[in-house]
Amino acid sequence: MTVIRDARRDDLPEILVIHNRAIVDTTANWDENEVDLADRDRWFDQRAADGHPILVAEIDGVVAGFASYGPWRARSGYRHTVENSVYVADSYHRRGIATALLAELLERARQGGIHAVVAGIEASNLTSIALHEKFGFRVVGRLPEVGTKFDRWLDLVLMQLTLPVDPSASL
Ligand SMILES: CC(C)(COP(=O)(O)OP(=O)(O)OC[C@H]1O[C@@H](n2cnc3c(N)ncnc32)[C@H](O)[C@@H]1OP(=O)(O)O)[C@@H](O)C(=O)NCCC(=O)NCCS
């Protein structure tokens, strides 16, 4: 059974493995050097300080994937907008885990007064584009050749889901 729950600090070693695999082998994450546990500790603390969720999908005691959102841009006027991410370990792909994570993440966004959720996706990542389309995200832009990895240029596709929120709602 898949359980979607808030991440705990002791999930970070498993999250780190999934995160570093995406850095080393994919263009889903545009970092090029693996990070260490201290980096994930700082990320965990920052999300907590911002009141932003980190969710994990746990299957039989194993962290199979995680999802989170954080600020889209730093200036205060952007506070109702976040950028989301979702990662699932290879051996758990195509079992609906990302779907379950994103469904709960978007529920948290609704509860948290978030108005716009932005996904920045490498243009050839058709799986992630299809995943986000399932939830109503639409492509709102494409930035050509703004990234580089594995000796080629990368285009960034921006997808957005807009949630109904009163702009005067306190956040
Ligand atoms: C993208 C990712 C999170 C999908 O995780 P997943 O748990 O396998 O996804 P799900 O099983 O919930 O499938 C969700 C949808 O994605 C699409 N999808 C999943 N695998 C696919 C594949 N191999 N080819 C095409 N579409 C695919 C489908 O639309 C699917 O919905 P459906 O099953 O109703 O048809 C996963 O492939 C991953 O972690 N990739 C590396 C990291 C990454 O790209 N993250 C997103 C960064 S923006």
Side-chain angles (χ1 to χ4, degrees), residues 86-104:
V86 53
Y87 289 84
V88 173
D90 292 2
S91 51
Y92 291 93
H93 282 184
R94 292 244 75 165
R95 294 201 209 168
I97 293 171
T99 300
L101 281 165
L102 197 48
E104 178 60 21

Side-chain angles (χ1 to χ4, degrees), residues 129-145:
I129 290 171
L131 167 69
H132 285 85
E133 275 175 347
K134 262 194 2 173
F135 285 90
F137 284 74
R138 292 293 171 255
V139 174
V140 291
R142 179 172 178 138
L143 308 180
E145 302 190 359

Side-chain angles (χ1 to χ4, degrees), residues 56-89:
V56 294
E58 182 183 323
I59 300 180
D60 299 330
V62 173
V63 173
F66 66 92
S68 185
Y69 61 71
W72 163 242
R73 299 186 81 182
R75 297 191 197 288
S76 64
Y78 290 109
R79 66 188 173 281
H80 290 274
T81 300
V82 294
E83 180 170 10
N84 77 297
S85 56
V86 53
Y87 289 84
V88 173

Side-chain angles (χ1 to χ4, degrees), residues 117-126 128-144 155-162:
V117 184
V118 177
I121 303 173
E122 194 265 312
S124 72
N125 191 349
L126 302 182
S128 183
I129 290 171
L131 167 69
H132 285 85
E133 275 175 347
K134 262 194 2 173
F135 285 90
F137 284 74
R138 292 293 171 255
V139 174
V140 291
R142 179 172 178 138
L143 308 180
D155 289 5
L156 186 69
V157 169
L158 296 173
M159 299 185 77
Q160 180 176 337
L161 177 67
T162 307

